[in-house]
Amino acid sequence: QKKQKEQREMINALSTGDEVMTSGGIVGAIVKVSENFVTLQVSEGTEIVIQKGSIVSLLPNGTIETL
């Protein structure tokens, strides 16, 4: 229950510019946040829309540049 609460809080706190990883292993930077979805930039000029619930971790800023 504690992990579920932490996950909910992390998802509710997402904002533009955050770097995240999805449950499918996709890494991207958030460019738009709506009520149930986020738009991720996964590479220059490539954006995908995903459900907020599929985000499993918030990465430290700058992580994408090192990949």
Side-chain angles (χ1 to χ4, degrees):
Q1 287 179 338
K2 184 179 180 184
K3 279 192 174 195
Q4 288 176 340
K5 182 180 179 187
E6 289 173 356
Q7 180 75 4
R8 264 193 317 274
E9 289 173 353
M10 184 264 299
I11 287 173
N12 290 334
L14 292 173
S15 63
T16 302
D18 288 345
E19 297 181 7
V20 296
M21 180 181 293
T22 70
S23 58
I26 296 171
V27 174
I30 296 176
V31 292
K32 182 180 174 186
V33 180
S34 64
E35 188 176 339
N36 296 310
F37 296 91
V38 296
T39 303
L40 288 185
Q41 180 177 8
V42 292
S43 66
E44 191 67 39
T46 305
E47 296 179 355
I48 60 173
V49 178
I50 61 165
Q51 287 184 314
K52 281 184 174 180
S54 66
I55 294 174
V56 294
S57 65
L58 184 60
L59 304 172
N61 283 342
T63 299
I64 292 174
E65 294 175 4
T66 65
L67 300 177

